Amino acid sequence: MNIDIPEGKDPIQHVWGEMVPGIGPAASNLSLAVYAHTTLGLREFEAARLRVAQLNGCLFCLDWRTERDGEKVEEGFADAVTQWRTTGAFDDRTRLAAEYAERYVLDHHGLDEEFWSRMRARYAQAEIVELSMCIGSWLAFGRLNRVLGLDAMCVLPRP
């Protein structure tokens, strides 16, 4: 842990809420909204989310699986995300979601017209904006938790 947590305090609540009360609850609301209000399919959502988690190294995010209507991605999905370029387990939208997440995290300046043409062929503009916001939140908050040493004890914070 890189932040001193008073004895008896929940680390996530302390850091996300008490230490920065003007920012933490708003960040928490964004984090929760990404899950509660997404219109993206579960597989493309999870492919992007897991690719960001893999690149961030956030222990909680790597272990988490989003559930919708009692459904989760299959066992081995995270391994397929690692192999997004070659896996036979993904359709075009899911593969693009993983690719976009990786490029967003590692090389956002390299998102060229060829990439955007492929994205526009498979995703509506509103979906591209939504996926971008999701990836941005996972990058920021997963990395924050990893850097501050909170990822081993993380739960999605409540506002």
Side-chain angles (χ1 to χ4, degrees), residues 87-146:
T87 184
F90 290 173
D91 62 15
D92 289 341
R93 282 176 58 100
T94 305
R95 187 178 318 281
L96 270 170
E99 178 183 358
Y100 185 32
E102 181 174 303
R103 293 179 73 173
Y104 188 111
V105 171
L106 298 177
D107 186 25
H108 62 284
H109 292 288
L111 294 169
D112 56 13
E113 188 52 42
E114 182 275 331
F115 171 78
W116 288 118
S117 292
R118 289 187 292 117
M119 280 295 286
R120 286 189 300 267
R122 298 284 187 256
Y123 285 89
Q125 286 186 359
E127 291 176 313
I128 292 171
V129 171
E130 181 178 335
L131 186 55
S132 300
M133 288 184 177
C134 289
I135 293 169
S137 76
W138 299 320
L139 173 60
F141 302 137
R143 193 160 290 180
L144 177 147
N145 286 335
R146 178 68 179 159

Short mmCIF file of all heavy atoms in Angstrom, two decimals, residues 87-146:
data_model
loop_
_atom_site.label_atom_id
_atom_site.label_comp_id
_atom_site.label_asym_id
_atom_site.label_seq_id
_atom_site.Cartn_x
_atom_site.Cartn_y
_atom_site.Cartn_z
N THR A 87 -6.92 -15.02 -31.94
CA THR A 87 -7.92 -15.94 -31.39
C THR A 87 -9.08 -16.15 -32.37
O THR A 87 -9.50 -15.23 -33.07
CB THR A 87 -8.47 -15.44 -30.04
OG1 THR A 87 -9.35 -16.44 -29.52
CG2 THR A 87 -9.21 -14.12 -30.16
N GLY A 88 -9.57 -17.36 -32.39
CA GLY A 88 -10.77 -17.66 -33.16
C GLY A 88 -12.05 -17.48 -32.36
O GLY A 88 -13.15 -17.70 -32.86
N ALA A 89 -11.90 -17.04 -31.10
CA ALA A 89 -13.04 -16.92 -30.20
C ALA A 89 -13.80 -15.60 -30.36
O ALA A 89 -14.84 -15.43 -29.75
CB ALA A 89 -12.57 -17.06 -28.75
N PHE A 90 -13.27 -14.66 -31.16
CA PHE A 90 -13.86 -13.33 -31.24
C PHE A 90 -14.45 -13.04 -32.61
O PHE A 90 -13.87 -13.40 -33.64
CB PHE A 90 -12.81 -12.26 -30.96
CG PHE A 90 -12.33 -12.17 -29.54
CD1 PHE A 90 -11.30 -11.34 -29.21
CD2 PHE A 90 -12.93 -12.92 -28.54
CE1 PHE A 90 -10.85 -11.24 -27.91
CE2 PHE A 90 -12.48 -12.83 -27.22
CZ PHE A 90 -11.43 -11.99 -26.91
N ASP A 91 -15.58 -12.35 -32.61
CA ASP A 91 -16.09 -11.78 -33.85
C ASP A 91 -15.37 -10.45 -34.09
O ASP A 91 -14.53 -10.02 -33.29
CB ASP A 91 -17.61 -11.61 -33.80
CG ASP A 91 -18.10 -10.64 -32.72
OD1 ASP A 91 -17.29 -9.86 -32.16
OD2 ASP A 91 -19.31 -10.65 -32.43
N ASP A 92 -15.68 -9.79 -35.19
CA ASP A 92 -14.97 -8.55 -35.56
C ASP A 92 -15.13 -7.45 -34.52
O ASP A 92 -14.18 -6.73 -34.21
CB ASP A 92 -15.45 -8.04 -36.92
CG ASP A 92 -14.99 -8.91 -38.07
OD1 ASP A 92 -14.03 -9.69 -37.89
OD2 ASP A 92 -15.58 -8.81 -39.16
N ARG A 93 -16.33 -7.29 -33.97
CA ARG A 93 -16.56 -6.23 -32.98
C ARG A 93 -15.75 -6.47 -31.70
O ARG A 93 -15.17 -5.55 -31.15
CB ARG A 93 -18.05 -6.09 -32.66
CG ARG A 93 -18.83 -5.35 -33.73
CD ARG A 93 -20.32 -5.31 -33.42
NE ARG A 93 -20.63 -4.70 -32.15
CZ ARG A 93 -21.06 -3.45 -31.98
NH1 ARG A 93 -21.20 -2.64 -33.03
NH2 ARG A 93 -21.36 -2.98 -30.77
N THR A 94 -15.72 -7.71 -31.25
CA THR A 94 -15.00 -8.03 -30.03
C THR A 94 -13.50 -7.84 -30.24
O THR A 94 -12.81 -7.26 -29.39
CB THR A 94 -15.32 -9.47 -29.58
OG1 THR A 94 -16.74 -9.59 -29.44
CG2 THR A 94 -14.65 -9.82 -28.26
N ARG A 95 -12.99 -8.30 -31.37
CA ARG A 95 -11.57 -8.13 -31.68
C ARG A 95 -11.22 -6.64 -31.76
O ARG A 95 -10.20 -6.20 -31.24
CB ARG A 95 -11.24 -8.83 -33.00
CG ARG A 95 -9.75 -8.85 -33.33
CD ARG A 95 -9.45 -9.58 -34.64
NE ARG A 95 -10.19 -10.80 -34.83
CZ ARG A 95 -9.90 -11.98 -34.26
NH1 ARG A 95 -8.88 -12.07 -33.44
NH2 ARG A 95 -10.63 -13.04 -34.50
N LEU A 96 -12.07 -5.86 -32.40
CA LEU A 96 -11.82 -4.41 -32.49
C LEU A 96 -11.85 -3.74 -31.13
O LEU A 96 -11.08 -2.81 -30.88
CB LEU A 96 -12.84 -3.76 -33.42
CG LEU A 96 -12.48 -3.68 -34.89
CD1 LEU A 96 -13.68 -3.25 -35.71
CD2 LEU A 96 -11.30 -2.76 -35.13
N ALA A 97 -12.73 -4.18 -30.26
CA ALA A 97 -12.80 -3.60 -28.92
C ALA A 97 -11.49 -3.84 -28.17
O ALA A 97 -10.96 -2.93 -27.51
CB ALA A 97 -13.98 -4.18 -28.14
N ALA A 98 -10.95 -5.05 -28.27
CA ALA A 98 -9.67 -5.35 -27.61
C ALA A 98 -8.54 -4.55 -28.25
O ALA A 98 -7.68 -4.01 -27.55
CB ALA A 98 -9.39 -6.84 -27.69
N GLU A 99 -8.54 -4.47 -29.57
CA GLU A 99 -7.51 -3.69 -30.26
C GLU A 99 -7.59 -2.22 -29.87
O GLU A 99 -6.56 -1.58 -29.58
CB GLU A 99 -7.66 -3.82 -31.77
CG GLU A 99 -6.64 -2.99 -32.53
CD GLU A 99 -6.79 -3.04 -34.04
OE1 GLU A 99 -7.69 -3.75 -34.55
OE2 GLU A 99 -6.02 -2.34 -34.73
N TYR A 100 -8.80 -1.66 -29.87
CA TYR A 100 -8.96 -0.26 -29.51
C TYR A 100 -8.47 0.00 -28.09
O TYR A 100 -7.74 0.96 -27.82
CB TYR A 100 -10.43 0.16 -29.67
CG TYR A 100 -10.71 1.61 -29.44
CD1 TYR A 100 -9.78 2.60 -29.74
CD2 TYR A 100 -11.93 2.02 -28.93
CE1 TYR A 100 -10.06 3.95 -29.53
CE2 TYR A 100 -12.22 3.36 -28.73
CZ TYR A 100 -11.28 4.32 -29.03
OH TYR A 100 -11.56 5.64 -28.82
N ALA A 101 -8.83 -0.88 -27.16
CA ALA A 101 -8.38 -0.72 -25.78
C ALA A 101 -6.85 -0.71 -25.71
O ALA A 101 -6.26 0.15 -25.04
CB ALA A 101 -8.96 -1.83 -24.91
N GLU A 102 -6.22 -1.64 -26.38
CA GLU A 102 -4.76 -1.71 -26.36
C GLU A 102 -4.14 -0.45 -26.96
O GLU A 102 -3.22 0.14 -26.38
CB GLU A 102 -4.27 -2.94 -27.11
CG GLU A 102 -2.76 -3.08 -27.10
CD GLU A 102 -2.29 -4.38 -27.70
OE1 GLU A 102 -2.72 -5.46 -27.20
OE2 GLU A 102 -1.49 -4.33 -28.65
N ARG A 103 -4.64 -0.03 -28.09
CA ARG A 103 -4.06 1.14 -28.75
C ARG A 103 -4.36 2.42 -27.96
O ARG A 103 -3.53 3.32 -27.90
CB ARG A 103 -4.57 1.23 -30.18
CG ARG A 103 -4.01 0.05 -31.02
CD ARG A 103 -4.49 0.05 -32.43
NE ARG A 103 -3.83 1.12 -33.17
CZ ARG A 103 -3.96 1.29 -34.47
NH1 ARG A 103 -4.71 0.46 -35.18
NH2 ARG A 103 -3.35 2.29 -35.08
N TYR A 104 -5.53 2.51 -27.37
CA TYR A 104 -5.90 3.66 -26.53
C TYR A 104 -4.92 3.79 -25.36
O TYR A 104 -4.47 4.88 -25.03
CB TYR A 104 -7.32 3.44 -26.02
CG TYR A 104 -7.98 4.59 -25.29
CD1 TYR A 104 -9.05 5.27 -25.87
CD2 TYR A 104 -7.60 4.96 -24.01
CE1 TYR A 104 -9.70 6.30 -25.20
CE2 TYR A 104 -8.24 5.99 -23.33
CZ TYR A 104 -9.29 6.66 -23.93
OH TYR A 104 -9.92 7.67 -23.27
N VAL A 105 -4.59 2.66 -24.73
CA VAL A 105 -3.70 2.66 -23.58
C VAL A 105 -2.24 2.89 -23.99
O VAL A 105 -1.52 3.64 -23.34
CB VAL A 105 -3.84 1.33 -22.79
CG1 VAL A 105 -2.76 1.21 -21.72
CG2 VAL A 105 -5.23 1.22 -22.17
N LEU A 106 -1.79 2.25 -25.06
CA LEU A 106 -0.37 2.24 -25.40
C LEU A 106 0.04 3.21 -26.49
O LEU A 106 1.21 3.63 -26.53
CB LEU A 106 0.06 0.83 -25.82
CG LEU A 106 -0.07 -0.26 -24.76
CD1 LEU A 106 0.32 -1.60 -25.35
CD2 LEU A 106 0.77 0.08 -23.54
N ASP A 107 -0.87 3.54 -27.41
CA ASP A 107 -0.47 4.33 -28.58
C ASP A 107 -1.64 5.13 -29.15
O ASP A 107 -1.97 4.99 -30.32
CB ASP A 107 0.13 3.42 -29.65
CG ASP A 107 0.70 4.18 -30.84
OD1 ASP A 107 1.08 5.36 -30.67
OD2 ASP A 107 0.73 3.60 -31.94
N HIS A 108 -2.25 5.95 -28.33
CA HIS A 108 -3.41 6.71 -28.80
C HIS A 108 -3.07 7.65 -29.95
O HIS A 108 -3.93 7.97 -30.76
CB HIS A 108 -4.09 7.45 -27.65
CG HIS A 108 -3.24 8.47 -26.98
ND1 HIS A 108 -2.24 8.13 -26.11
CD2 HIS A 108 -3.24 9.81 -27.07
CE1 HIS A 108 -1.65 9.23 -25.68
NE2 HIS A 108 -2.24 10.26 -26.25
N HIS A 109 -1.82 8.07 -30.07
CA HIS A 109 -1.43 8.92 -31.21
C HIS A 109 -1.37 8.12 -32.51
O HIS A 109 -1.39 8.71 -33.59
CB HIS A 109 -0.07 9.58 -30.95
CG HIS A 109 -0.11 10.59 -29.86
ND1 HIS A 109 -0.70 11.82 -29.98
CD2 HIS A 109 0.38 10.54 -28.59
CE1 HIS A 109 -0.58 12.50 -28.86
NE2 HIS A 109 0.06 11.74 -27.99
N GLY A 110 -1.30 6.81 -32.40
CA GLY A 110 -1.21 5.96 -33.58
C GLY A 110 -2.55 5.50 -34.13
O GLY A 110 -2.58 4.67 -35.04
N LEU A 111 -3.64 6.02 -33.59
CA LEU A 111 -4.97 5.64 -34.11
C LEU A 111 -5.17 6.37 -35.44
O LEU A 111 -5.55 7.53 -35.48
CB LEU A 111 -6.06 6.01 -33.09
CG LEU A 111 -6.00 5.22 -31.79
CD1 LEU A 111 -6.92 5.82 -30.75
CD2 LEU A 111 -6.34 3.76 -32.05
N ASP A 112 -4.91 5.65 -36.52
CA ASP A 112 -4.90 6.25 -37.85
C ASP A 112 -6.22 6.04 -38.59
O ASP A 112 -7.15 5.40 -38.08
CB ASP A 112 -3.74 5.67 -38.66
CG ASP A 112 -3.78 4.15 -38.75
OD1 ASP A 112 -4.81 3.53 -38.39
OD2 ASP A 112 -2.78 3.57 -39.16
N GLU A 113 -6.31 6.59 -39.78
CA GLU A 113 -7.54 6.52 -40.56
C GLU A 113 -7.92 5.08 -40.90
O GLU A 113 -9.10 4.74 -40.94
CB GLU A 113 -7.43 7.37 -41.83
CG GLU A 113 -8.73 7.50 -42.58
CD GLU A 113 -9.91 7.98 -41.72
OE1 GLU A 113 -9.73 8.90 -40.88
OE2 GLU A 113 -11.02 7.43 -41.88
N GLU A 114 -6.94 4.23 -41.14
CA GLU A 114 -7.23 2.82 -41.43
C GLU A 114 -7.95 2.18 -40.25
O GLU A 114 -8.94 1.47 -40.42
CB GLU A 114 -5.92 2.08 -41.73
CG GLU A 114 -6.11 0.60 -42.10
CD GLU A 114 -6.20 -0.33 -40.89
OE1 GLU A 114 -5.60 -0.02 -39.84
OE2 GLU A 114 -6.90 -1.36 -41.00
N PHE A 115 -7.48 2.45 -39.03
CA PHE A 115 -8.14 1.92 -37.83
C PHE A 115 -9.56 2.47 -37.72
O PHE A 115 -10.51 1.73 -37.50
CB PHE A 115 -7.33 2.25 -36.57
CG PHE A 115 -8.09 1.91 -35.32
CD1 PHE A 115 -8.16 0.60 -34.88
CD2 PHE A 115 -8.76 2.89 -34.61
CE1 PHE A 115 -8.88 0.28 -33.74
CE2 PHE A 115 -9.48 2.57 -33.46
CZ PHE A 115 -9.54 1.26 -33.03
N TRP A 116 -9.71 3.80 -37.86
CA TRP A 116 -11.03 4.40 -37.71
C TRP A 116 -12.00 3.92 -38.78
O TRP A 116 -13.20 3.77 -38.51
CB TRP A 116 -10.92 5.93 -37.70
CG TRP A 116 -10.32 6.42 -36.42
CD1 TRP A 116 -9.17 7.11 -36.26
CD2 TRP A 116 -10.85 6.22 -35.10
NE1 TRP A 116 -8.93 7.36 -34.94
CE2 TRP A 116 -9.94 6.82 -34.19
CE3 TRP A 116 -11.97 5.59 -34.59
CZ2 TRP A 116 -10.14 6.82 -32.82
CZ3 TRP A 116 -12.17 5.58 -33.21
CH2 TRP A 116 -11.27 6.19 -32.35
N SER A 117 -11.51 3.62 -39.96
CA SER A 117 -12.39 3.07 -41.01
C SER A 117 -12.93 1.71 -40.57
O SER A 117 -14.12 1.42 -40.76
CB SER A 117 -11.63 2.92 -42.32
OG SER A 117 -11.33 4.17 -42.84
N ARG A 118 -12.06 0.88 -39.99
CA ARG A 118 -12.52 -0.42 -39.49
C ARG A 118 -13.50 -0.26 -38.35
O ARG A 118 -14.50 -0.98 -38.27
CB ARG A 118 -11.32 -1.28 -39.06
CG ARG A 118 -10.49 -1.75 -40.24
CD ARG A 118 -9.40 -2.74 -39.86
NE ARG A 118 -8.34 -2.12 -39.06
CZ ARG A 118 -8.02 -2.44 -37.81
NH1 ARG A 118 -8.66 -3.41 -37.18
NH2 ARG A 118 -7.04 -1.83 -37.17
N MET A 119 -13.23 0.68 -37.44
CA MET A 119 -14.16 0.92 -36.32
C MET A 119 -15.52 1.39 -36.83
O MET A 119 -16.56 0.88 -36.40
CB MET A 119 -13.58 1.96 -35.35
CG MET A 119 -12.55 1.42 -34.39
SD MET A 119 -13.18 0.20 -33.21
CE MET A 119 -14.10 1.23 -32.08
N ARG A 120 -15.52 2.36 -37.73
CA ARG A 120 -16.79 2.90 -38.25
C ARG A 120 -17.58 1.85 -39.03
O ARG A 120 -18.80 1.94 -39.12
CB ARG A 120 -16.54 4.15 -39.09
CG ARG A 120 -16.17 5.37 -38.26
CD ARG A 120 -16.15 6.64 -39.09
NE ARG A 120 -15.18 6.57 -40.16
CZ ARG A 120 -13.91 7.00 -40.10
NH1 ARG A 120 -13.46 7.53 -38.98
NH2 ARG A 120 -13.12 6.90 -41.14
N ALA A 121 -16.90 0.88 -39.59
CA ALA A 121 -17.59 -0.19 -40.32
C ALA A 121 -18.34 -1.14 -39.38
O ALA A 121 -19.29 -1.80 -39.79
CB ALA A 121 -16.59 -0.98 -41.17
N ARG A 122 -17.93 -1.20 -38.11
CA ARG A 122 -18.52 -2.15 -37.15
C ARG A 122 -19.26 -1.49 -36.00
O ARG A 122 -20.08 -2.13 -35.36
CB ARG A 122 -17.43 -3.05 -36.57
CG ARG A 122 -16.71 -3.91 -37.57
CD ARG A 122 -17.59 -5.08 -37.99
NE ARG A 122 -16.87 -6.01 -38.83
CZ ARG A 122 -17.03 -6.09 -40.14
NH1 ARG A 122 -17.85 -5.30 -40.76
NH2 ARG A 122 -16.36 -6.98 -40.84
N TYR A 123 -18.95 -0.22 -35.72
CA TYR A 123 -19.54 0.48 -34.57
C TYR A 123 -20.18 1.79 -35.02
O TYR A 123 -19.59 2.51 -35.83
CB TYR A 123 -18.46 0.82 -33.52
CG TYR A 123 -18.00 -0.35 -32.70
CD1 TYR A 123 -16.94 -1.15 -33.11
CD2 TYR A 123 -18.61 -0.65 -31.49
CE1 TYR A 123 -16.51 -2.22 -32.35
CE2 TYR A 123 -18.18 -1.72 -30.71
CZ TYR A 123 -17.13 -2.50 -31.15
OH TYR A 123 -16.71 -3.55 -30.39
N ALA A 124 -21.33 2.09 -34.46
CA ALA A 124 -21.96 3.40 -34.67
C ALA A 124 -21.14 4.45 -33.91
O ALA A 124 -20.42 4.13 -32.96
CB ALA A 124 -23.39 3.38 -34.13
N GLN A 125 -21.26 5.70 -34.32
CA GLN A 125 -20.49 6.77 -33.67
C GLN A 125 -20.75 6.83 -32.17
O GLN A 125 -19.82 6.99 -31.38
CB GLN A 125 -20.79 8.11 -34.32
CG GLN A 125 -20.14 8.25 -35.67
CD GLN A 125 -20.32 9.64 -36.27
OE1 GLN A 125 -20.94 10.52 -35.68
NE2 GLN A 125 -19.77 9.83 -37.44
N ALA A 126 -22.01 6.70 -31.76
CA ALA A 126 -22.32 6.74 -30.33
C ALA A 126 -21.65 5.59 -29.60
O ALA A 126 -21.19 5.74 -28.46
CB ALA A 126 -23.83 6.72 -30.11
N GLU A 127 -21.56 4.42 -30.22
CA GLU A 127 -20.88 3.29 -29.60
C GLU A 127 -19.38 3.54 -29.47
O GLU A 127 -18.77 3.15 -28.47
CB GLU A 127 -21.10 2.02 -30.42
CG GLU A 127 -22.52 1.50 -30.39
CD GLU A 127 -22.71 0.30 -31.29
OE1 GLU A 127 -22.26 0.33 -32.46
OE2 GLU A 127 -23.30 -0.69 -30.80
N ILE A 128 -18.79 4.21 -30.45
CA ILE A 128 -17.37 4.55 -30.38
C ILE A 128 -17.12 5.51 -29.22
O ILE A 128 -16.17 5.34 -28.45
CB ILE A 128 -16.87 5.13 -31.71
CG1 ILE A 128 -16.88 4.05 -32.80
CG2 ILE A 128 -15.46 5.73 -31.56
CD1 ILE A 128 -16.62 4.57 -34.21
N VAL A 129 -18.00 6.50 -29.06
CA VAL A 129 -17.86 7.44 -27.94
C VAL A 129 -18.02 6.69 -26.62
O VAL A 129 -17.23 6.87 -25.69
CB VAL A 129 -18.87 8.59 -28.06
CG1 VAL A 129 -18.89 9.45 -26.80
CG2 VAL A 129 -18.56 9.45 -29.29
N GLU A 130 -19.02 5.84 -26.54
CA GLU A 130 -19.25 5.08 -25.30
C GLU A 130 -18.06 4.19 -24.97
O GLU A 130 -17.58 4.18 -23.83
CB GLU A 130 -20.52 4.23 -25.43
CG GLU A 130 -20.84 3.45 -24.19
CD GLU A 130 -22.13 2.65 -24.30
OE1 GLU A 130 -23.02 3.01 -25.09
OE2 GLU A 130 -22.23 1.65 -23.58
N LEU A 131 -17.56 3.46 -25.95
CA LEU A 131 -16.40 2.59 -25.73
C LEU A 131 -15.18 3.42 -25.31
O LEU A 131 -14.44 3.02 -24.41
CB LEU A 131 -16.11 1.78 -26.99
CG LEU A 131 -15.01 0.73 -26.91
CD1 LEU A 131 -15.27 -0.26 -25.78
CD2 LEU A 131 -14.89 0.01 -28.26
N SER A 132 -15.01 4.58 -25.90
CA SER A 132 -13.90 5.47 -25.53
C SER A 132 -14.02 5.92 -24.08
O SER A 132 -13.02 5.96 -23.35
CB SER A 132 -13.88 6.70 -26.44
OG SER A 132 -13.70 6.33 -27.78
N MET A 133 -15.22 6.27 -23.65
CA MET A 133 -15.42 6.68 -22.26
C MET A 133 -15.18 5.52 -21.30
O MET A 133 -14.58 5.70 -20.24
CB MET A 133 -16.81 7.27 -22.06
CG MET A 133 -16.97 8.62 -22.68
SD MET A 133 -18.61 9.28 -22.32
CE MET A 133 -18.44 10.90 -23.09
N CYS A 134 -15.64 4.35 -21.67
CA CYS A 134 -15.40 3.17 -20.83
C CYS A 134 -13.91 2.90 -20.70
O CYS A 134 -13.39 2.75 -19.58
CB CYS A 134 -16.10 1.95 -21.43
SG CYS A 134 -17.90 1.95 -21.32
N ILE A 135 -13.21 2.86 -21.81
CA ILE A 135 -11.77 2.59 -21.79
C ILE A 135 -11.06 3.66 -20.97
O ILE A 135 -10.18 3.35 -20.16
CB ILE A 135 -11.20 2.51 -23.22
CG1 ILE A 135 -11.76 1.28 -23.94
CG2 ILE A 135 -9.67 2.48 -23.20
CD1 ILE A 135 -11.47 1.25 -25.43
N GLY A 136 -11.44 4.91 -21.15
CA GLY A 136 -10.82 5.99 -20.39
C GLY A 136 -11.01 5.83 -18.89
O GLY A 136 -10.09 6.05 -18.10
N SER A 137 -12.21 5.42 -18.48
CA SER A 137 -12.45 5.25 -17.04
C SER A 137 -11.65 4.08 -16.50
O SER A 137 -11.07 4.17 -15.41
CB SER A 137 -13.94 5.08 -16.75
OG SER A 137 -14.40 3.80 -17.10
N TRP A 138 -11.59 2.97 -17.24
CA TRP A 138 -10.82 1.82 -16.77
C TRP A 138 -9.33 2.13 -16.71
O TRP A 138 -8.64 1.73 -15.78
CB TRP A 138 -11.06 0.60 -17.66
CG TRP A 138 -12.47 0.15 -17.69
CD1 TRP A 138 -13.35 0.08 -16.65
CD2 TRP A 138 -13.19 -0.30 -18.84
NE1 TRP A 138 -14.57 -0.38 -17.08
CE2 TRP A 138 -14.50 -0.63 -18.42
CE3 TRP A 138 -12.86 -0.47 -20.18
CZ2 TRP A 138 -15.47 -1.12 -19.29
CZ3 TRP A 138 -13.82 -0.95 -21.06
CH2 TRP A 138 -15.11 -1.27 -20.61
N LEU A 139 -8.84 2.85 -17.70
CA LEU A 139 -7.43 3.23 -17.71
C LEU A 139 -7.12 4.08 -16.49
O LEU A 139 -6.19 3.80 -15.74
CB LEU A 139 -7.09 4.00 -18.99
CG LEU A 139 -5.69 4.60 -19.07
CD1 LEU A 139 -4.62 3.53 -18.96
CD2 LEU A 139 -5.54 5.38 -20.37
N ALA A 140 -7.93 5.11 -16.27
CA ALA A 140 -7.67 6.03 -15.15
C ALA A 140 -7.81 5.37 -13.79
O ALA A 140 -6.91 5.43 -12.96
CB ALA A 140 -8.61 7.23 -15.25
N PHE A 141 -8.93 4.71 -13.56
CA PHE A 141 -9.21 4.22 -12.22
C PHE A 141 -8.48 2.92 -11.90
O PHE A 141 -8.06 2.70 -10.77
CB PHE A 141 -10.71 4.11 -11.99
CG PHE A 141 -11.42 5.42 -12.20
CD1 PHE A 141 -12.62 5.48 -12.88
CD2 PHE A 141 -10.87 6.61 -11.74
CE1 PHE A 141 -13.27 6.68 -13.08
CE2 PHE A 141 -11.51 7.83 -11.94
CZ PHE A 141 -12.71 7.87 -12.61
N GLY A 142 -8.33 2.04 -12.89
CA GLY A 142 -7.54 0.83 -12.68
C GLY A 142 -6.09 1.17 -12.43
O GLY A 142 -5.43 0.59 -11.55
N ARG A 143 -5.58 2.13 -13.17
CA ARG A 143 -4.19 2.53 -12.98
C ARG A 143 -4.02 3.24 -11.64
O ARG A 143 -3.04 3.02 -10.94
CB ARG A 143 -3.74 3.42 -14.13
CG ARG A 143 -2.24 3.59 -14.15
CD ARG A 143 -1.73 4.04 -15.49
NE ARG A 143 -1.83 3.00 -16.49
CZ ARG A 143 -1.44 3.16 -17.75
NH1 ARG A 143 -0.93 4.31 -18.15
NH2 ARG A 143 -1.55 2.17 -18.62
N LEU A 144 -4.98 4.09 -11.28
CA LEU A 144 -4.94 4.77 -9.98
C LEU A 144 -4.86 3.74 -8.86
O LEU A 144 -4.00 3.83 -7.97
CB LEU A 144 -6.18 5.65 -9.81
CG LEU A 144 -6.35 6.37 -8.48
CD1 LEU A 144 -7.04 7.70 -8.71
CD2 LEU A 144 -7.13 5.55 -7.49
N ASN A 145 -5.74 2.76 -8.89
CA ASN A 145 -5.75 1.74 -7.83
C ASN A 145 -4.46 0.93 -7.82
O ASN A 145 -3.95 0.59 -6.76
CB ASN A 145 -6.97 0.84 -7.97
CG ASN A 145 -8.25 1.53 -7.54
OD1 ASN A 145 -8.22 2.47 -6.75
ND2 ASN A 145 -9.36 1.08 -8.07
N ARG A 146 -3.92 0.63 -8.99
CA ARG A 146 -2.67 -0.14 -9.08
C ARG A 146 -1.50 0.69 -8.54
O ARG A 146 -0.71 0.22 -7.73
CB ARG A 146 -2.42 -0.56 -10.53
CG ARG A 146 -1.13 -1.31 -10.74
CD ARG A 146 -1.17 -2.66 -10.08
NE ARG A 146 0.08 -3.34 -10.34
CZ ARG A 146 0.53 -4.34 -9.63
NH1 ARG A 146 -0.17 -4.80 -8.62
NH2 ARG A 146 1.67 -4.90 -9.91
#
